[in-house]
Amino acid sequence: MPIAVDIDVMLARRKMSVGELAERVGITPANLAVLKNGRAKAVRFSTLAALCEVLDCQPGDLLRWEAADEPDELPTQDAPVAT
């Protein structure tokens, strides 16, 4: 997935457990684990805002974009012929 989740990094910086974060954000530890491990398909802005508030960080501290692996060879397209 091109979006990487760095919640565990912020948890370590804040010396906070997953259980404590889940309780303070108001979500279950299981749902937080799904998000933290990058298995979530979506995240509500209200949840993201609560995470940022509790962890005192910005959304970019929790989520980052990673480029997908590029294929070895890019497909070529036939160039238009000038007439």
Side-chain angles (χ1 to χ4, degrees):
M1 176 185 288
I3 301 296
V5 182
D6 290 328
I7 291 175
D8 52 348
V9 173
M10 291 307 296
L11 281 171
R13 288 182 182 165
R14 302 297 186 250
K15 296 181 171 78
M16 188 181 298
S17 70
V18 172
E20 181 184 353
L21 179 60
E23 183 178 325
R24 291 178 62 185
V25 169
I27 61 176
T28 67
N31 283 341
L32 181 57
V34 167
L35 180 59
K36 185 174 84 71
N37 295 323
R39 295 188 316 260
K41 302 254 186 232
V43 60
R44 290 188 171 140
F45 283 147
S46 59
T47 302
L48 184 58
L51 287 166
C52 290
E53 182 176 350
V54 170
L55 293 170
D56 188 29
C57 66
Q58 294 294 313
D61 296 326
L62 302 177
L63 304 172
R64 64 186 157 79
W65 178 80
E66 291 182 339
D69 292 336
E70 293 186 28
D72 293 337
E73 208 173 292
L74 295 176
T76 58
Q77 293 179 337
D78 293 332
V81 177
T83 55

